[in-house]
Amino acid sequence: MKLKALKNPRLIITSLVLAVFIVYFFLNVDKFKPLLQVNGYLLIAIALTNVAGVFINGLFTKFILEPFNKYISITEAFYVSVISSIGNFFATAGTGFGIRA
């Protein structure tokens, strides 16, 4: 019987990237020491604020589409906002806008 992990390549790729990061982390702990001194509550607050901003951006997209008789769910609006944010982060300026369109 085949393992379920072999049927899902995303799980294999995620596990591989996580394993490479763990090995890199343990081989270069001295480079990560300044990150270990940061307040954890502050990092959680920043992450929650970032997620809230992405969610609000998704709601804005949802409400902007309604006058044009295009109705999307809140989860789809959040998904569009996440994809747009990733496009803006990794690609050149305006790519997230193009993905959203």
Side-chain angles (χ1 to χ4, degrees):
M1 186 168 133
K2 291 185 178 181
L3 295 172
K4 284 188 176 184
L6 295 177
K7 293 180 182 179
N8 192 352
R10 289 184 289 180
L11 183 62
I12 295 171
I13 292 170
T14 302
S15 301
L16 183 65
V17 169
L18 196 60
V20 168
F21 175 74
I22 290 171
V23 168
Y24 181 80
F25 178 79
F26 283 116
L27 291 177
N28 298 295
V29 173
D30 54 328
K31 293 180 182 178
F32 288 95
K33 289 222 188 251
L35 291 176
L36 297 174
Q37 296 173 356
V38 176
N39 187 354
Y41 295 118
L42 183 61
L43 289 177
I44 291 172
I46 291 170
L48 289 176
T49 305
N50 191 16
V51 170
V54 170
F55 182 74
I56 290 170
N57 189 14
L59 287 178
F60 179 74
T61 302
K62 176 184 173 32
F63 294 134
I64 289 295
L65 288 175
E66 286 180 0
F68 300 102
N69 294 325
K70 301 291 182 188
Y71 299 99
I72 60 174
S73 67
I74 292 177
T75 55
E76 188 175 359
F78 180 72
Y79 178 71
V80 167
S81 180
V82 168
I83 296 297
S84 175
S85 298
I86 291 171
N88 285 335
F89 185 77
F90 287 111
T92 58
T95 303
F97 178 70
I99 291 172
R100 201 171 348 163

